Amino acid sequence: DIQMTQSPSTLSASVGDRVTITCRASQSIGDWLAWYQQKPGRAPKLLIYKASSLESGVPSRFSGSRSGTEFTLTISSLQPDDFATYHCQQYNNYSWTFGQGTKVEIK
Amino acid sequence: QVTLRESGPALVKPTQTLTLTCTFSGFSLSTSGLCVSWIRQPPGKALEWLGRIDWDDDKYYSTSLKTRLTISKDTSKNQVVLTMTNMDPVDTATYYCARYRTRIEAFDYWGQGTLVTVSS
């Protein structure tokens, strides 16, 4: 199975900060990478699919990019509603795996 | 409006079989490109994909769990059922069902999740 290495595991930031989270795949997955936001006690919410496509209704401050097997989620200006845990998810050959998650905390 | 909701026992004993039902609305599982997956999350840990059933009844399972899992659907009732045999305390987790769209290869709608505790 493909492994997803997500970093950092925890990130402390302030409102208005630019935040970057990274996921690295253990082998090539093309663009098949999605990002989710999860708040405590809630289900994950899809933010980005196919590495850089914004899901409908998601604020434009969220963006995704890819360089080889490294994928990045960027929040351009962190808002109070964005303090949450973020997960990456890959798809390859009928197998799906998630990263370990990144908790974005208030600094 | 797409919704999914998981139901089933909150507590099961070791070695027992877990059966969870996902009841959904707002889409049909006979529509090409739509699927339902099961995903779990142990307390404080990462998400783990368990399996998927497709509009055409194809099924896919986690390599590490496939001997214990069965997923089926009842399209007329808008339900998907997960069965997991030989439950162990390490299977304690919140279990989610989620809609999957093959066009984007992502889970676009999730149920609220149901916590299953495995304990004697």
Side-chain angles (χ1 to χ4, degrees), chain A residues 24-47:
Chain A
R24 179 175 282 110
S26 59
Q27 64 189 71
S28 176
I29 58 171
D31 283 336
W32 297 121
L33 191 286
W35 291 97
Y36 301 85
Q37 177 193 68
Q38 186 179 28
K39 296 182 178 179
R42 305 285 296 275
K45 171 189 173 184
L46 178 64
L47 301 175

Side-chain angles (χ1 to χ4, degrees), chain A residues 1 32-34 36 38 41-46 48-50 55 87 89 91 94-101, chain B residues 39 41 45-49 52 54 60-61 63 96 100-113:
Chain A
D1 286 356
W32 297 121
L33 191 286
Y36 301 85
Q38 186 179 28
R42 305 285 296 275
K45 171 189 173 184
L46 178 64
I48 301 283
Y49 62 90
K50 208 174 178 184
E55 174 70 342
H87 307 271
Q89 165 253 312
Y91 162 70
Y94 297 104
S95 178
W96 293 260
T97 49
F98 292 85
Q100 291 299 305
Chain B
I39 296 154
Q41 186 174 36
K45 295 189 177 181
L47 295 160
E48 178 184 19
W49 175 79
R52 183 182 109 176
D54 294 359
Y60 306 94
Y61 297 103
T63 303
Y96 296 98
Y100 186 87
R101 272 194 289 156
T102 59
R103 185 180 68 82
I104 64 172
E105 304 294 5
F107 307 98
D108 61 350
Y109 289 93
W110 296 61
Q112 63 189 14

